[in-house]
Amino acid sequence: MGVVNQWLAVGLAVLSALCLAVGTQKQGSAVADRARGPLHLRTILALLRCPRWVLGLVLLGLGTGLNVAALGLATVTVVQPIGVIALVVTTLLHAQHRRLRINRRTWAAILLCTAGGGAFVALAVGATDPAHGISSWAEHTVVVMLVVLVAVLGSAAALFRHSLGGSFYVVGAGVLYGFVAVLVRLTLTRVQGSSGGPFDDVNWIAVTAAVAAAVLGGWFVQSAFAGGPPDLVIAGLTVIDPMVGVLLGLLVLGEAGAGLTLVTGLLMTAAGTVAIVGVAVLSQHHPEVLERRADLARQGRAAVDRGVPAPPPPASDRPAHDRPGSHP
């Protein structure tokens, strides 16, 4: 029955990845078309009237539900990495939507993300003891870490939102979602193993922290959409999210088994580095990034011809309000 549950979890995770891919592309294109500058509450209210954005929200909700169902049948280590499928699908959909030609370096970056992330998780599976019970102390440690993380990231976003780039939002959302996935898995395990009512053993503090992190992570994702292509956003999430989940399981929850040796640890580090390099390459050589850079260069040359100061050079993580045509 355990093998059947794992394969069912894999199927649900694949469906979740497809929903997340299409939903991400829909929302990302809607935000990019309407949001110029740091995201405000009024921008979200305006997006609520956009059918494309609402459709993306529904698909993201469906994908999240399918992912939760998958986490109820298998571990985070098995479920979360399958989300990398969303990267490939989102890239293809976004290229078609924007009529972009996917260049070789973009494909190479996607390969690095997929191969590095896949190798990292494959190594983690052999290093994890799935039969290990999670102590209350370990769960409380994860909750405290998440509360501190939400406070720090939320404060940084509120205080420095005019100077933060897309990289901050992508990394922040990936880390937050990694914590959320772990707490969802722990909560489902408590519900399934409860000897009394289904919610008797639920840690409601953990649930509250996970909800707060999910809301903040959702805001970060929308902010990242305003500053970069959706496939770049999903690349960061699908690489960082599972890595955070696996590392929490191994280092905090005590799920490390006999297979976690020094060699395995070094190989996991190397694989994770490859995946992160893939995200960095994608942020520099994505066709939409190159297109924006070329547009800025053309505007700079035109400004010089007119005798006015040229715009500053582009940066991969330039805040959305620094882009040409933006307004406060």
Side-chain angles (χ1 to χ4, degrees):
M1 191 63 180
V3 175
V4 174
N5 284 344
Q6 285 221 353
W7 279 109
L8 180 57
V10 169
L12 291 173
V14 170
L15 291 175
S16 171
L18 294 176
C19 288
L20 293 175
V22 179
T24 296
Q25 192 280 322
K26 295 294 183 185
Q27 282 208 322
S29 60
V31 172
D33 289 344
R34 288 165 175 77
R36 298 296 180 187
L39 207 61
H40 297 280
L41 180 59
R42 64 176 179 271
T43 308
I44 295 295
L45 295 177
L47 288 169
L48 285 171
R49 298 190 294 270
C50 173
R52 194 192 335 159
W53 189 88
V54 173
L55 175 59
L57 181 64
V58 171
L59 288 171
L60 290 176
L62 178 59
T64 300
L66 291 169
N67 196 62
V68 168
L71 287 169
L73 298 172
T75 64
V76 175
T77 306
V78 172
V79 173
Q80 290 305 98
I82 297 174
V84 77
I85 295 173
L87 170 58
V88 179
V89 177
T90 304
T91 300
L92 295 174
L93 290 174
H94 185 63
Q96 182 182 34
H97 175 75
R98 294 293 186 191
R99 301 185 185 280
L100 299 171
R101 180 178 178 274
I102 304 177
N103 54 49
R104 291 182 180 179
R105 290 187 177 180
T106 297
W107 283 121
I110 293 173
L111 179 61
L112 289 174
C113 292
T114 306
F120 179 89
V121 173
L123 291 164
V125 169
T128 303
D129 178 11
H132 176 77
I134 307 300
S135 67
S136 296
W137 178 88
E139 183 178 358
H140 291 156
T141 300
V142 173
V143 172
V144 170
M145 292 172 65
L146 181 56
V147 169
V148 173
L149 188 65
V150 168
V152 171
L153 292 179
S155 298
L159 295 173
F160 307 109
R161 63 192 181 92
H162 288 289
S163 58
L164 294 173
S167 300
F168 169 84
Y169 293 114
V170 171
V171 172
V175 174
L176 289 170
Y177 285 154
F179 273 84
V180 170
V182 169
L183 289 181
V184 167
R185 171 63 182 170
L186 291 178
T187 300
L188 291 175
T189 301
R190 282 179 174 271
V191 171
Q192 294 168 348
S194 177
S195 56
F199 301 109
D200 288 353
D201 296 329
V202 170
N203 183 344
W204 292 107
I205 297 178
V207 172
T208 303
V211 170
V215 170
L216 182 60
W219 182 269
F220 279 11
V221 168
Q222 299 299 319
S223 299
F225 284 155
D231 35 342
L232 176 56
V233 176
I234 204 72
L237 296 180
T238 54
V239 167
I240 296 169
D241 177 342
M243 286 186 182
V244 170
V246 169
L247 290 175
L248 283 174
L250 294 177
L251 303 179
V252 180
L253 300 181
E255 294 180 342
L260 183 59
T261 63
L262 177 60
V263 173
T264 303
L266 291 175
L267 290 175
M268 288 176 65
T269 301
T273 301
V274 168
I276 292 171
V277 167
V279 176
V281 172
L282 190 62
S283 70
Q284 293 295 319
H285 300 286
H286 187 281
E288 186 170 332
V289 173
L290 296 178
E291 185 179 81
R292 291 179 180 180
R293 195 175 297 161
D295 287 342
L296 189 58
R298 283 194 294 269
Q299 292 180 21
R301 288 194 296 269
V304 171
D305 292 340
R306 293 195 303 269
V308 298
S316 61
D317 58 350
R318 180 184 303 282
H321 65 282
D322 283 342
R323 299 199 310 269
S326 63
H327 60 77

